[in-house]
């Protein structure tokens, strides 16, 4: 057991008012000192490619088509069960990148792709699981709305052109290069 | 029976069967692609290689599916040589494999994935381009063929030759340009095409009705019994996110269906995914029907039944044995004969499984004292009585539309009957939502299990029937 002795207050402390004035003077002095905190939200957070913001789905710059083939690996990897995907058949043909046909058929694409942003914990497992370079953590961090349903993002809210995600994609490849050769579909 | 040693354990082996069957019987897993217990072993894939030594000679690596067992044989399925052989085999199989698992419906239950993972064999040593074959070959209404994914095990060809005895598929081309195709490119026919997707160990033959509908690891699988004929094949009902049934597959049952099922049963699942199903109940309110809870509908039904004269009760052939037991006291309470609708045999009957009789529990109902009558007879009896009770899944569909006349009708079905004269409709579960028993044409019991939760507004048929009987006896006593 520890016995804590109460501090004996001095006479001026007991008077209360001098201490208040002392405190106020500190406050007033700080007003004219340079600011040390960020003026959020007027001054947004700095972001860079290492920022692990909300996941977004990449669309090809060539034709705006979605890269995702609805394989469900991100859904399976998601520890927060935030992702729900339904697939469908598609007739969309091969994507061509830099003159090479990288795939014969896409065959399958998401009919719906929902991420419940309230469940998403921004862990980046989906990004890591994706075999098709289709989902990446963007630098978008802000999330506010008046009801929960609007925070379940569907395809319309998740699609981003690949060029916008490029710094993150390059960063991920750089990190992954440690154990795997960069793929040509990049 | 002879004795052999597998992985240091002495096991019994049937000398008429290959070594791989002996391993299966003793619970030792040997990889296989081309071997299927229902078909002649072919020995074309070589993944089943194990080390065998006979008569004290040093072990040799050989294909377990093409090796005859002999007394005193010593088998090691985990020998280094066996693993090396399997890894080499996998390297060859993967050489031309497109590896499009992300879009392949087999992913998750694909043995090519499993064995590559088990053997840690993914990389190949060649830079040759992969074979370029057809990726989407439409083989009719049921099957889609991806020739690139095919590993040429010819299980599909042998299934048709040996099981359905109606060959339509063949292995064409030579050596590395071999591929599976139908004779003259004609579409597949018959009622057993779905089994091709089951026997195919990879994603080369996939089901069109299941194409891209769900990832298999998201499906919740429950064992059940097929409802489409009196054979009662053992099936696995596979449900996505506690909602729709996405797939029905056969489950091995040596007494009933072996490994197979017909396409009628396999693709019958839209029946149980009916978005228009009745929830709760409906009770007559003047000329209209009004939504209610099952409890209210049952009360109303009881008051109607206790105030009308002659009554009939017609059961559906889909009732389980347990439900039939609850129908008996109800029939006794209203003084009705035990009858069930027994539609005419359909033309789906064949030599393999389908019996042509659409009543999954005919035996069970007959054992419980029910008598089968034709839908026409049933409709006549209904219109001839003052009040009628129709009980069981699909009963309204089986009877078809008919004019009720002055009859007051109470129905227990998954859908509502909206004809005038209907007094109460009480919602019931689909067969995938109940636990119970059906007895098939040969007297085998087929078990139903709850594959998806019952909506909260629907009560099990047993409960509803018991409640109606109880309410009737109370009102009967007070009259
Ligand atoms: S892992 Fe990638 S390709 Fe697969 S469903 Fe997710 S985003 Fe789509
Ligand atoms: S057959 Fe198997 S290994 Fe081949 S693409 Fe399909 S899931 Fe992948
Ligand atoms: S299609 Fe499937 S079952 Fe037929 S040979 Fe190819 S891999 Fe075997
Ligand atoms: S399973 Fe034995 S060779 Fe294919």
């Amino acid at each position: 057991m520890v016995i804590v002795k109460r501090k004996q207050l001095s006479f001026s402390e007991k008077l209360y008012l001098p201490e208040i004035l002392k405190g106020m003077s500190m406050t007033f002095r700080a007003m004219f000192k340079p600011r040390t905190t960020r003026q959020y939200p007027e001054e947004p957070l700095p972001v860079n490619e290492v920022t692990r913001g909300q996941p977004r789905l990449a669309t090809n710059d060539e034709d705006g088509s979605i890269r995702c083939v609805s394989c469900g690996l991100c859904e399976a990897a998601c520890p927060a069960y935030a992702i729900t995907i339904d697939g469908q058949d598609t007739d969309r043909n091969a994507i061509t990148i830099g003159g090479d046909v990288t795939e014969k058929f896409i065959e399958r694409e998401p009919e719906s792709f929902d991420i419940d942003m309230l469940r998403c914990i921004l862990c980046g497992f989906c990004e890591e699981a994706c075999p098709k370079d289709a989902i990446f953590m963007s630098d978008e961090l802000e999330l506010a709305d008046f009801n929960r349903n609007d925070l379940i993002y569907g395809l319309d809210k998740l699609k981003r052109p690949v060029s916008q995600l490029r710094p993150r994609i390059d960063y991920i490849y750089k990190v992954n290069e440690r154990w795997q050769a960069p793929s040509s579909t990049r | 029976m002879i004795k052999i040693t597998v992985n240091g354990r002495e096991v019994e082996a049937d000398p008429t069967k290959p070594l791989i069957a002996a391993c299966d019987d003793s619970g030792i897993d040997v990889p296989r692609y081309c071997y299927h217990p229902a078909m002649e072993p072919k020995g074309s894939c070589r993944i089943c290689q194990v080390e065998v030594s006979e008569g004290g000679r040093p072990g040799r690596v050989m294909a377990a599916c093409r090796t005859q067992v002999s007394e005193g044989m010593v088998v090691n399925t985990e020998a280094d040589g066996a693993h090396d052989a399997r890894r080499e085999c996998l390297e060859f199989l993967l050489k031309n494999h497109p590896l499009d698992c992300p879009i392949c419906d087999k992913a998750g239950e694909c043995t090519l994935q499993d064995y590559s993972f088990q053997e840690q064999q993914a990389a190949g040593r060649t830079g040759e381009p992969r074979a370029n074959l057809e990726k989407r070959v439409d083989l009719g209404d049921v099957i889609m063929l991806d020739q690139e994914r095919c590993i040429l095990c010819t299980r599909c060809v042998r299934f048709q030759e040996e099981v359905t005895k109606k060959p339509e598929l063949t292995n064409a081309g030579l050596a590395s340009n071999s591929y599976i195709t139908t004779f003259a490119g004609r579409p597949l026919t018959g009622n057993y095409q779905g089994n091709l997707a089951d026997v195919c160990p990879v994603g080369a033959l996939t089901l069109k009705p299941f194409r891209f509908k769900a990832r298999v690891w998201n499906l919740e699988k429950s064992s059940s019994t097929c409802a489409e004929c009196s054979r009662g094949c053992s099936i696995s009902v596979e449900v996505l996110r506690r909602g729709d049934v996405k797939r029905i597959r056969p489950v091995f049952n040596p007494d009933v269906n072996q490994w197979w099922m017909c396409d009628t049963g396999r693709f019958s699942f839209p029946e149980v995914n009916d978005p228009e199903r009745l929830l709760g109940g409906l009770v007559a309110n003047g000329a209209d029907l009004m939504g209610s809870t099952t409890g209210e509908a049952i009360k109303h039904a009881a008051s109607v039944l206790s105030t009308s004269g002659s009554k009939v009760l017609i059961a559906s052939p889909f009732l389980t044995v347990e439900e039939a037991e609850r129908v008996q006291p109800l029939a006794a309470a209203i003084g009705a004969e035990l009858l069930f609708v027994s539609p005419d045999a359909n033309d789906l009957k064949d030599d393999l499984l389908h019996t042509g009789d659409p009543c999954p529990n005919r035996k069970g109902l007959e054992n419980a004292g029910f008598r089968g009558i034709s839908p026409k007879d049933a409709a006549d009896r209904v219109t001839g009585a003052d009040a009628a009770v129709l009980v069981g899944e699909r009963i309204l569909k089986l009877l078809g539309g008919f004019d009720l006349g002055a009859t007051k009708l109470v129905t227990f079905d998954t859908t509502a009957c909206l004809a005038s004269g209907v007094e109460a409709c009480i919602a019931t579960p689909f067969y995938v939502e109940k636990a119970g028993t059906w007895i098939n044409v040969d007297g085998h019991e087929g078990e139903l299990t709850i594959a998806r939760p019952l909506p909260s507004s629907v009560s099990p048929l047993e409960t509803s029937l018991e409640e109606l009987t109880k309410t009737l006896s109370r009102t009967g006593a007070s009259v």
Side-chain angles (χ1 to χ4, degrees):
Chain A
M1 205 200 296
V2 185
I3 296 179
V4 182
K5 279 230 171 90
R6 276 178 200 275
K7 185 178 176 265
Q8 287 294 314
L9 296 184
S10 69
F11 179 64
S12 79
E13 279 168 343
K14 277 187 185 154
L15 273 182
Y16 184 66
L17 208 56
E19 290 298 310
I20 289 285
L21 290 175
K22 240 198 236 170
M24 296 289 265
S25 82
M26 191 151 337
T27 310
F28 278 106
R29 260 183 287 141
M31 274 186 191
F32 301 102
K33 278 193 188 153
R35 284 168 179 163
T36 53
T37 51
R38 180 179 308 285
Q39 298 305 298
Y40 187 82
E42 288 79 14
E43 196 186 314
L45 290 169
V47 289
N48 55 29
E49 68 275 13
V50 184
T51 310
R52 216 169 55 212
Q54 295 163 22
R56 291 290 181 262
L57 293 174
T59 56
N60 291 313
D61 288 339
E62 290 83 357
D63 55 356
S65 60
I66 194 159
R67 284 185 164 191
C68 171
V69 297
S70 76
C71 70
L73 291 192
C74 50
E75 187 182 16
C78 179
Y81 302 107
I83 306 180
T84 314
I85 312 169
D86 278 321
Q88 69 182 11
D89 217 328
T90 169
D91 269 333
R92 211 169 73 222
N93 260 328
I95 47 167
T96 327
I97 291 177
D100 300 329
V101 178
T102 57
E103 279 173 274
K104 273 169 105 176
F105 287 112
I106 304 295
E107 285 202 283
R108 170 187 193 128
E109 68 179 10
E111 182 184 18
S112 69
F113 192 119
D114 293 333
I115 305 187
D116 186 342
M117 284 302 166
L118 292 175
R119 302 200 76 148
C120 174
I121 53 167
L122 311 182
C123 64
F125 279 17
C126 49
E127 177 183 57
E128 207 171 310
C130 183
K132 291 282 169 192
D133 281 359
I135 193 165
F136 283 99
M137 307 310 275
S138 64
D139 53 15
E140 294 163 44
L141 292 163
E142 277 153 19
L143 188 69
D145 213 309
F146 293 102
N147 76 70
R148 284 165 180 272
N149 271 347
D150 289 348
L151 288 167
I152 300 176
Y153 283 12
L155 275 174
D156 49 335
K157 288 192 188 160
L158 290 173
K159 280 188 192 170
R160 291 290 178 275
V162 140
S163 47
Q164 196 180 316
L165 298 166
R166 180 60 64 190
R168 176 70 183 183
I169 300 179
D170 289 342
Y171 168 74
I172 291 292
Y173 269 93
K174 204 171 83 202
V175 173
N176 285 355
E177 242 161 48
R178 273 185 242 145
W179 59 82
Q180 79 184 18
S183 121
S184 60
T185 58
R186 176 174 182 183
Chain B
M1 283 289 176
I2 57 173
K3 283 202 164 49
I4 62 170
T5 313
V6 182
N7 294 355
R9 191 146 67 86
E10 191 158 282
V11 301
E12 298 251 295
D14 180 349
T16 61
K17 288 189 186 162
L19 171 57
I20 197 167
C23 295
D24 280 352
D25 292 344
S26 48
I28 291 157
D29 202 24
V30 177
R32 82 279 317 269
Y33 293 122
C34 65
Y35 173 74
H36 191 290
M39 306 168 205
E40 263 320 289
K42 167 109 171 164
S44 65
C45 74
R46 318 308 288 180
I47 193 76
C48 65
Q49 297 182 86
V50 295
E51 199 182 76
V52 178
S53 62
E54 280 166 294
R57 287 191 293 272
R60 285 191 303 146
V61 171
M62 43 177 106
C65 72
R66 293 281 283 178
T67 302
Q68 224 55 56
V69 285
S70 62
E71 186 71 46
M73 191 180 234
V74 180
V75 181
N76 184 357
T77 64
E78 302 298 328
D80 288 344
H83 279 294
D84 284 346
R86 286 181 213 154
R87 266 196 288 275
E88 276 156 23
C89 164
L90 278 166
E91 190 182 340
F92 269 116
L93 290 177
L94 294 174
K95 155 74 192 59
N96 277 325
H97 199 77
L99 288 184
D100 45 11
C101 311
I103 51 173
C104 180
D105 269 337
K106 198 75 170 190
E109 51 189 20
C110 170
T111 43
L112 197 49
Q113 284 183 328
D114 294 349
Y115 299 151
S116 325
F117 186 75
Q118 260 173 36
E119 302 291 343
Q120 293 292 299
Q121 173 61 50
R125 286 170 291 184
T126 166
E128 293 281 308
R130 290 169 200 269
N132 204 345
L133 295 165
E134 280 301 318
K135 273 202 85 61
R136 279 196 275 193
V137 188
D138 195 331
L139 294 185
D141 295 336
V142 177
I143 296 288
M144 184 75 99
L145 164 67
D146 185 326
Q147 291 177 340
E148 286 191 348
R149 289 185 198 144
C150 171
I151 56 166
L152 294 167
C153 67
T154 67
R155 267 195 197 181
C156 52
V157 176
R158 284 176 291 142
F159 170 76
Q160 292 193 322
E161 280 169 0
E162 297 174 32
V163 181
T164 60
K165 311 252 181 353
K166 202 178 68 164
E168 290 175 310
L169 283 163
T170 185
N171 180 356
L174 274 182
S176 69
N177 289 323
S178 311
Y179 56 90
I180 292 292
T181 183
T182 51
F183 294 122
R186 280 192 293 259
L188 297 172
T189 58
N191 203 14
Y192 290 89
Q193 298 172 43
N195 296 306
L196 290 169
D198 291 340
V199 295
C200 181
V202 294
L205 300 172
T206 50
L207 295 175
K208 281 169 76 179
F210 182 64
R211 197 167 156 82
F212 305 158
K213 290 285 183 296
R215 299 307 270 170
V216 296
W217 55 84
N218 286 337
L219 295 173
E220 213 180 306
K221 305 171 174 88
S222 321
S223 59
S224 190
T225 300
C226 178
E228 299 310 310
C229 83
S230 57
R231 178 73 59 197
C233 297
S234 295
I235 56 169
S236 151
V237 176
E238 310 193 351
V239 176
L240 182 66
R241 297 184 204 119
R242 320 190 105 212
D244 282 359
V245 175
K246 290 286 176 190
R247 181 166 75 168
I248 290 180
R249 292 206 302 167
V251 170
F252 176 63
N253 183 339
D255 299 327
V256 180
N257 55 323
Q258 300 284 318
W259 295 264
W260 325 119
M261 77 183 294
C262 72
D263 291 351
T264 317
R266 187 186 294 263
F267 302 124
S268 63
F269 55 84
E271 187 82 39
V272 298
N273 294 340
D274 186 4
E276 316 264 88
R277 78 177 294 177
L278 176 63
L279 294 170
L282 292 176
V283 291
N285 181 18
D288 296 333
L289 282 168
M290 202 174 58
S292 72
T293 62
T294 42
E296 286 159 11
I298 288 170
K299 253 192 220 121
H300 184 70
S303 69
V304 168
L305 290 175
S306 56
T307 52
S308 24
S310 65
K311 285 166 264 209
V312 292
L313 182 144
I314 315 272
S316 141
F318 287 80
L319 285 189
T320 63
V321 170
E322 291 76 5
E323 287 162 353
E325 277 168 18
R326 310 301 202 284
V327 171
Q328 286 163 341
L330 175 63
I334 61 174
E337 206 185 331
L338 290 172
L339 298 171
F340 73 95
V341 200
S342 143
D344 294 338
N346 53 33
D347 54 6
L348 291 165
K349 182 177 163 56
D350 56 42
D351 315 331
L352 199 52
L353 293 174
H354 204 294
T355 57
D357 174 10
C359 309
N361 194 25
R362 175 187 294 280
K363 268 265 160 65
L365 288 174
E366 282 170 0
N367 291 350
F370 286 74
R371 186 160 63 82
I373 54 173
S374 74
K376 167 121 203 344
D377 189 7
D380 288 346
R381 280 168 192 261
V382 169
T383 42
D386 288 340
V389 188
L390 303 182
V391 193
E393 196 180 344
R394 298 195 215 176
I395 179 91
L396 293 168
K397 208 169 159 188
L398 288 174
L399 287 184
F402 55 88
D403 194 10
L404 270 179
T407 312
K408 292 182 171 155
L409 191 66
V410 172
T411 70
F412 289 86
D413 198 353
T414 54
T415 55
C417 180
L418 301 178
S420 71
V422 174
E423 284 293 335
C425 296
I426 294 127
T428 62
F430 287 104
Y431 75 95
V432 298
E433 294 161 344
K434 46 181 141 177
T437 320
W438 279 338
I439 298 182
N440 88 344
V441 61
D442 302 321
H444 286 290
E445 289 187 1
E447 211 163 318
L448 301 179
T449 52
I450 297 173
R452 86 172 160 212
L454 199 56
S456 55
S457 57
V458 180
S459 11
L461 183 53
E462 285 106 315
T463 323
S464 305
L465 289 170
E466 267 173 11
E467 208 179 313
L468 179 56
T469 320
K470 236 187 274 162
T471 324
L472 270 174
S473 67
R474 270 206 300 273
T475 46
S478 67
V479 163

